[in-house]
Amino acid sequence: MFSPRYWTFIFIVLAALGYSMFRISQAPDVIVSPADEYSYRHMTLENGLQVLLVQTPEADKASAALSVNVGSMDDPQGREGLAHFLEHMLFLGTEPYPEPDEYQQFIKQNGGSHNAFTSYAQTTYFFDIDNEQLNGALERFAPFFISPTFNEAYVDREKNAVHAEYSANLKEDGRRIFSAQKMAMNPEFTFSNFSTGNLDTLSDRDDSKIRDELIDFYQTHYSSDRMTLVIAGDYELDQLGNKARNLFSDIPKRDVHFERPDVPVFVPEQMPMDMNIRPVKEIRELRFTFPLPEIISQYQYKPIQLLSNLIGHEGEGSILALLKKKGWAESLSAGRSLSTRHASTLAVSIGLTKSGLLHTEDITAILLEYIDLIRRNGIPDYLKQEQKMLNEMTFRYQEHGSISGYTTRLSSNMLIFPVEDTIYGDYRSEPANDKLIDAYISGLTADNMLRTLIAPGVETDTTDPWYGTEIRIRPSDYQAPAEPEWTGALHLPKANPFVPENLTPAPGKARDIPTLEAQSVGYQLWYYPEHDFTAPRAHVLISLKVPDVQTDPTQRVLARLYARSINEALNTYSYPASLAGLNYRLAATSEGLEIAVSGYFDKLPVLLEQVFSEMKNMNVSSDEFGRYQASLKRSLENNLKARPYQRTLAELKNWLLDPSFSDIELLPVVGEVSLEQLNTFAEQLGTDISVTTYVHGTLNQENAVAIGELTQQYYPATIPSPAESVLVKAPVGQYQQSVEQDHPDSVITLYLQGQDTSDAARAESGLLAQMISSPYYQYMRTDQQLGYIVFATAYPQKAVPGLLFIVQSPTATPQEMLDHSQIFFRDYEAELETITDEEFLLFQEGLVTRLTEKPKNMGEKATNFWADLTTKRMTFDTREAIAEEVKKVTKAQILNLYRTAVLEQQWSWLLFEKGEPVKELTPLNSLDRDALERFPAPTIQNSTQPADSETSQPDAQS
């Protein structure tokens, strides 16, 4: 029998479905959440193109996404990466717009962004842009699929860009492991093929020109009836429909006769298998992959999601809870890893401790025993109902995010779901019957698994030909233990206690910005009642500032170990909350600790108090401390193996911020700290502390004040807020610093530092970055083919404006990259001088659109307010104020800034390179950094309460 909360839940579900049905009557083709303010219309053009129109009232940005039912699985034999290469080429000129940078320049100029991706079964292109410029973007986008030029010169050049992308990933464990695991697959299953492409697979051959093969592949697969298009913007649906008809009806419908072969993922006779993979980073993982029947046709039942939720559960009685108790594992995830029309796979990944490496047979047995537990007992109805209800609740209170992310998801969904479930298909979850569950759980056996051990030093006997990853594949030798020690430790999860019951929004009186509800020495409580987003959710952010964490590397390490210890202790308790849409985060920062709790507000105080209670009563064994210490050391060491541009950027930030400690500086400290020091840190945490609490959501003022009081109950502020970290003011000149790393690519990260922190200065540098971004990319990447990773961007730090130029290359030296940058800088002056008033205005409007874009959900809005709060901008208007300054900037000001900062080098230039030093730049370590001037820390701007008031009483409850 269901408890009362389940009757509440069922009521929610019925209400949600009933309201959804009402929305269906307004948009006959698509089921829409009652919380969704967008309007939808589905249409099919005469050429067979499926189109979804989305009206987004009062949106600043518009977007479009087009997906093609072709991917890397469809590459011709011997031409691995051709689908991916084709994706690159469509950006480089069409018959109406032959210039290779025309599309990108238009998008960037108008405050937008664009990208594309090639997966194993689809290729998707997407953009977002200032809403008023949607038509111009579509006019440049549609010809991708009608009349690309495949310019011969750019075909030859773009091969190098694809190769650079491949080269940039040669040391990336994610790509290496992904590629290596394909070697265990059935070679006739085309997913197993190399998918990126490189100069070997994409070069011209005696009997074949790659351009001809590109065109043939395009004309074979890019057919209108194999495409789905989503257009979203603040336009009437009829207007959007006219745009679709006028611009996309000329996409040809080709005579395509194509079917992917129905072959098994693995050769059945070779299963089960064991595989070893040796990573670059310090990674220890045991991964299980089970081939299963296809899942697409069963999307409304989601049997793999249900099984994955149980296997991946982290609460009491779960696999992970047992493995952590034994000290063998740090993490566990489970889910669908592959899905085609003919097959799917379920993958279980377990992050191991060093001890866990010695117990892989026991870990395998625990996983299989839990699966047998499900098989023997079946899945109780309450768990099936819980999945359905939680999915329905998520749909009922759906919030939007990035508009381009949304159009991309919908265009992808249109390839696999019926029209009516384009949106709802991700959430629809009818309880699966036992026969259907059995069809999938029957494949989760020891005889039907690929077991992969990923760890340094594992035995290997061959290499992946594409990434050079050392591997070994052999028949599985798994033997189940005769008498396991864990009998009775595993059980299915109980009914979730965090399912919300109070789902009635009750925000206080509407206001424009957060207000200060309470204040005393070192303590502030801020509250914002949410009225734009009406879901029954809240976001609570709490900053605990500890001066020693900011200034002492030992205390900073201890703060990270403390946060890890508390998170581990809370994991079993908090995991059901996360399933019920309530999440928390405790993290060490450069200033202390930060707590964030967000989700349905009903049980939020319960979770928050448990976090505080655990923080006050930390209990860590010596074994646990050793594991957490080793894990932190491994994390810092792995950071040093990040991509070269990420490493140089990290070193730049470390040099600029004061105080700051690099990963290299923290590594020896990790090995020196003790459990006794950690216990002392926990005991003294509340001794010297300042506290800021921010409550944002559809809860009332009384609830907000109660959360503030709860914070003060556990962690009352004892000192005034300490001084902020500041930015080092680099002297005018050109300086360089080398970064050592074992990676084949070279990189330059060039930072130009501004000279003041005014909104006007940030507006000017931001606008210059907006203007220079696309031309720099075009010159360095497309024209000169210097690398795949190329960008120019604004880079403000601590309110100090800056410009950042990054190039990572598999072939060019840092000297060559800097020389070409200097050539570009010299030549770009003429382009700036000749820019028209109309073009300049578009750049201004595009940046203003980006800065003033309305938050798309409650979390984004809360994050924006929190960012201003943490920088003491109590007017909560950073972006709007800079946007107002952008409107005032003139062409003459931008030209003067460019000449001053770039050509005349009157801004400081800091170059961090990996590869070899460049000529005529002064070593950065020749400067006495400690003696350099600092930019002043931000001062409080227009606080809504007197800074010296001891307390302020909340307003009367509205």
Side-chain angles (χ1 to χ4, degrees):
M1 179 178 292
F2 289 133
S3 67
R5 73 180 183 86
Y6 271 101
W7 288 115
T8 303
F9 219 174
I10 290 171
F11 173 76
I12 294 166
V13 173
L14 293 175
L17 288 175
Y19 200 173
S20 294
M21 292 301 291
F22 174 76
R23 292 300 308 276
I24 291 174
S25 70
Q26 303 300 309
D29 296 314
V30 182
I31 299 174
V32 180
S33 167
D36 191 350
E37 295 181 352
Y38 295 172
S39 298
Y40 300 84
R41 179 182 298 164
H42 178 269
M43 59 189 290
T44 304
L45 302 187
E46 291 186 6
N47 60 0
L49 176 65
Q50 300 291 312
V51 182
L52 184 65
L53 311 172
V54 186
Q55 182 181 5
T56 57
E58 300 182 9
D60 305 292
K61 290 279 189 77
S63 176
L66 188 146
S67 293
V68 190
N69 186 17
V70 63
S72 57
M73 289 182 73
D74 309 312
D75 288 336
Q77 188 173 3
R79 285 300 194 185
E80 294 85 358
L82 189 65
H84 178 223
F85 185 27
L86 174 59
E87 171 222 303
H88 279 236
M89 285 305 306
L90 294 194
F91 289 91
L92 298 178
T94 60
E95 289 182 7
Y97 299 97
E99 291 301 317
D101 64 341
E102 170 63 35
Y103 171 73
Q104 173 175 276
Q105 178 75 350
F106 184 83
I107 297 290
K108 291 280 187 182
Q109 186 178 47
N110 290 286
S113 63
H114 68 87
N115 214 327
F117 64 84
T118 303
S119 70
Y120 56 87
Q122 75 179 75
T123 306
T124 299
Y125 305 79
F126 56 93
F127 69 83
D128 63 44
I129 197 166
D130 184 332
N131 185 73
E132 295 180 2
Q133 301 298 329
L134 175 61
N135 208 61
L138 291 174
E139 288 174 350
R140 290 160 175 79
F141 184 62
F144 283 20
F145 314 103
I146 301 169
S147 57
T149 59
F150 296 107
N151 181 291
E152 213 160 333
Y154 284 106
V155 168
D156 193 54
R157 292 181 187 181
E158 198 61 20
K159 283 186 296 188
N160 294 313
V162 172
H163 185 81
E165 180 180 354
Y166 161 69
S167 177
N169 289 316
L170 284 173
K171 294 285 188 178
E172 291 299 305
D173 278 317
R175 290 293 186 102
R176 291 166 63 88
I177 294 167
F178 179 67
S179 178
Q181 281 207 293
K182 290 181 177 183
M183 294 190 67
M185 291 182 175
N186 183 352
E188 295 183 10
F189 182 62
T190 53
F191 176 86
S192 65
N193 294 338
F194 173 53
S195 58
T196 303
N198 61 21
L199 288 178
D200 292 330
T201 66
L202 301 175
S203 292
D204 287 337
R205 297 168 184 165
D206 292 341
D207 60 345
S208 171
K209 300 295 184 186
I210 191 64
R211 180 177 183 272
D212 295 336
E213 294 200 44
L214 273 172
I215 294 171
D216 182 65
F217 189 86
Y218 177 80
Q219 293 178 345
T220 299
H221 293 285
Y222 275 57
S223 178
S224 56
D225 58 338
R226 300 184 66 196
M227 298 177 179
T228 57
L229 170 68
V230 180
I231 304 176
D234 186 13
Y235 297 85
E236 296 295 329
L237 291 173
D238 287 344
Q239 291 177 289
L240 294 174
N242 289 335
K243 295 178 193 297
R245 273 186 291 269
N246 293 339
L247 294 170
F248 293 88
S249 290
D250 287 340
I251 298 177
K253 181 178 181 180
R254 308 181 192 278
D255 187 17
V256 177
H257 301 283
F258 172 78
E259 184 68 31
R260 295 187 181 103
D262 182 4
V263 296
V265 177
F266 300 97
V267 176
E269 293 76 20
Q270 294 177 355
M271 295 293 276
M273 287 185 284
D274 281 344
M275 184 175 191
N276 288 352
I277 299 177
R278 189 177 295 178
V280 173
K281 294 181 179 180
E282 181 76 14
I283 296 173
R284 295 189 295 268
E285 182 180 326
L286 187 60
R287 185 178 297 182
F288 303 85
T289 304
F290 300 92
L292 298 173
E294 64 84 20
I295 198 69
I296 293 174
S297 67
Q298 305 297 331
Y299 77 93
Q300 66 270 50
Y301 301 107
K302 296 183 171 46
I304 288 185
Q305 183 190 77
L306 181 57
L307 291 169
S308 299
N309 285 349
L310 295 177
I311 294 168
H313 205 278
E314 299 178 18
E316 293 289 345
S318 67
I319 298 170
L320 183 60
L322 175 58
L323 295 180
K324 283 190 171 184
K325 184 177 181 181
K326 290 187 167 293
W328 294 345
E330 296 180 336
S331 62
L332 185 150
S333 63
R336 186 191 67 200
S337 61
L338 170 70
S339 178
T340 73
R341 294 285 178 184
H342 302 301
S344 67
T345 59
L346 186 150
V348 181
S349 298
I350 301 174
L352 302 177
T353 63
K354 281 190 175 180
S355 177
L357 283 174
L358 305 176
H359 293 276
T360 56
E361 296 297 287
D362 290 330
I363 293 169
T364 303
I366 288 172
L367 169 65
L368 293 174
E369 181 174 327
Y370 192 86
I371 292 170
D372 283 341
L373 175 70
I374 301 172
R375 185 181 292 111
R376 290 194 309 269
N377 299 330
I379 300 176
D381 286 342
Y382 72 87
L383 289 176
K384 295 179 183 178
Q385 290 293 334
E386 194 166 271
Q387 172 173 293
K388 174 181 173 61
M389 293 171 181
L390 290 173
N391 281 349
E392 291 291 351
M393 193 164 61
T394 303
F395 179 69
R396 169 65 181 85
Y397 297 110
Q398 177 190 4
E399 286 188 327
H400 290 296
S402 155
I403 187 62
S404 62
Y406 191 53
T407 56
T408 298
R409 180 165 69 89
L410 294 184
S411 71
S412 300
N413 285 357
M414 290 170 71
L415 292 174
I416 57 174
F417 294 148
V419 170
E420 65 271 16
D421 279 345
T422 300
I423 302 170
Y424 187 44
D426 288 327
Y427 307 92
R428 184 186 287 274
S429 184
E430 303 300 329
N433 61 46
D434 291 341
K435 182 178 179 181
L436 180 60
I437 294 293
D438 289 345
Y440 291 90
I441 202 169
S442 63
L444 304 180
T445 66
D447 294 331
N448 190 47
M449 72 180 181
L450 168 66
R451 182 173 59 161
T452 305
L453 180 61
I454 305 164
V458 294
E459 293 184 18
T460 62
D461 56 17
T462 189
T463 58
D464 169 19
W466 302 110
Y467 290 87
T469 308
E470 296 177 76
I471 66 170
R472 184 183 72 177
I473 304 172
R474 63 180 182 179
S476 177
D477 60 2
Y478 166 68
Q479 294 292 326
E483 295 184 6
E485 304 172 6
W486 47 84
T487 302
L490 298 171
H491 61 78
L492 296 181
K494 298 176 182 177
N496 193 327
F498 283 98
V499 172
E501 298 172 50
N502 176 14
L503 292 166
T504 304
K509 185 178 179 181
R511 57 196 74 175
D512 295 330
I513 60 175
T515 53
L516 189 59
E517 298 295 326
Q519 178 176 246
S520 59
V521 174
Y523 171 69
Q524 289 185 336
L525 168 65
W526 293 82
Y527 166 58
Y528 180 82
E530 181 58 70
H531 284 262
D532 293 330
F533 306 102
T534 58
R537 295 190 177 104
H539 294 260
V540 176
L541 294 141
I542 303 167
S543 171
L544 307 180
K545 290 188 177 181
V546 184
D548 286 349
V549 172
Q550 186 182 67
T551 58
D552 185 337
T554 298
Q555 293 299 306
R556 192 167 293 192
V557 165
L558 289 170
R560 294 180 68 167
L561 290 171
Y562 173 76
R564 172 65 186 273
S565 301
I566 300 303
N567 287 330
E568 289 289 342
L570 282 167
N571 190 68
T572 300
Y573 176 85
S574 65
Y575 186 77
S578 68
L579 294 179
L582 180 60
N583 297 281
Y584 93 96
R585 172 177 53 83
L586 169 66
T589 70
S590 61
E591 297 178 330
L593 294 163
E594 186 172 286
I595 304 164
V597 187
S598 61
Y600 297 108
F601 58 59
D602 183 39
K603 306 293 176 66
L604 188 151
V606 176
L607 178 59
L608 178 59
E609 183 159 18
Q610 186 63 32
V611 173
F612 284 143
S613 177
E614 199 66 49
M615 290 173 67
K616 281 292 187 183
N617 299 283
M618 187 192 77
N619 183 17
V620 178
S621 69
S622 58
D623 285 347
E624 289 169 333
F625 175 77
R627 291 201 299 272
Y628 305 158
Q629 189 179 35
S631 178
L632 178 55
K633 180 175 181 289
R634 187 169 72 247
S635 174
L636 293 173
E637 289 172 340
N638 286 342
N639 288 346
L640 301 180
K641 298 175 184 177
R643 292 185 177 187
Y645 84 90
Q646 295 170 326
R647 283 287 303 120
T648 54
L649 196 55
E651 290 298 317
L652 167 65
K653 291 187 71 172
N654 181 64
W655 193 91
L656 289 172
L657 285 175
D658 180 34
S660 182
F661 306 102
S662 71
D663 294 332
I664 293 174
E665 292 171 313
L666 293 178
L667 261 171
V669 180
V670 174
E672 295 168 358
V673 297
S674 66
L675 175 57
E676 183 180 1
Q677 287 176 292
L678 180 60
N679 286 328
T680 300
F681 178 92
E683 292 165 5
Q684 297 180 351
L685 178 58
T687 304
D688 294 311
I689 194 171
S690 67
V691 182
T692 302
T693 299
Y694 175 49
V695 181
H696 181 128
T698 54
L699 37 60
N700 61 31
Q701 188 181 38
E702 182 181 351
N703 295 140
V705 170
I707 289 172
E709 290 172 346
L710 181 65
T711 304
Q712 283 290 80
Q713 174 188 333
Y714 281 89
Y715 287 100
T718 58
I719 59 172
S721 183
E724 306 284 333
S725 59
V726 292
L727 205 70
V728 175
K729 195 170 190 177
V732 174
Q734 294 180 299
Y735 302 90
Q736 69 173 318
Q737 180 166 308
S738 295
V739 176
E740 300 297 325
Q741 189 184 31
D742 179 18
H743 194 286
D745 284 10
S746 296
V747 68
I748 62 168
T749 294
L750 176 62
Y751 168 69
L752 281 59
Q753 187 182 68
Q755 298 176 323
D756 74 79
T757 61
S758 67
D759 290 341
R762 293 173 69 178
E764 286 188 27
S765 64
L767 185 54
L768 175 57
Q770 173 96 344
M771 298 171 72
I772 203 172
S773 172
S774 181
Y776 184 76
Y777 178 92
Q778 173 67 21
Y779 176 81
M780 298 293 285
R781 184 187 182 280
T782 307
D783 295 343
Q784 300 303 318
Q785 291 293 300
L786 290 173
Y788 172 70
I789 298 171
V790 176
F791 55 90
T793 184
Y795 193 63
Q797 295 291 297
K798 292 285 182 180
V800 177
L803 298 171
L804 190 70
F805 301 89
I806 288 180
V807 185
Q808 181 176 319
S809 175
T811 55
T813 65
Q815 185 70 58
E816 291 169 329
M817 290 184 266
L818 181 60
D819 288 346
H820 277 289
S821 294
Q822 295 279 29
I823 293 170
F824 169 82
F825 294 154
R826 181 196 66 205
D827 295 345
Y828 185 64
E829 181 184 20
E831 186 173 332
L832 271 180
E833 289 173 334
T834 57
I835 193 170
T836 67
D837 291 342
E838 291 77 12
E839 290 171 326
F840 183 77
L841 181 60
L842 286 176
F843 279 117
Q844 279 183 304
E845 292 175 344
L847 182 54
V848 168
T849 296
R850 286 175 56 193
L851 288 168
T852 60
E853 185 177 2
K854 300 180 187 73
K856 294 170 285 296
N857 53 63
M858 189 188 299
E860 187 178 320
K861 190 173 180 180
T863 299
N864 289 346
F865 282 145
W866 180 247
D868 274 342
L869 189 57
T870 56
T871 57
K872 299 184 178 179
R873 185 147 182 158
M874 309 314 186
T875 49
F876 298 96
D877 66 343
T878 299
R879 299 171 70 88
E880 294 80 2
I882 294 173
E884 287 302 312
E885 294 296 335
V886 170
K887 296 175 184 177
K888 303 173 187 176
V889 177
T890 65
K891 283 194 301 178
Q893 285 176 284
I894 290 296
L895 190 56
N896 179 66
L897 173 64
Y898 185 74
R899 287 169 175 160
T900 301
V902 181
L903 299 181
E904 299 168 12
Q905 299 169 7
Q906 294 182 31
W907 281 17
S908 58
W909 284 34
L910 304 182
L911 178 77
F912 284 70
E913 55 78 16
K914 183 263 168 189
E916 62 183 36
V918 302
K919 299 174 184 177
E920 300 178 358
L921 266 65
T922 305
L924 188 59
N925 60 15
S926 67
L927 297 175
D928 183 356
R929 179 174 177 272
D930 291 340
L932 295 177
E933 187 180 350
R934 268 60 172 161
F935 286 94
T939 56
I940 295 176
Q941 296 189 31
N942 296 342
S943 174
T944 58
Q945 293 290 339
D948 59 352
S949 66
E950 279 297 308
T951 60
S952 61
Q953 297 300 319
D955 298 333
Q957 178 66 39
S958 57

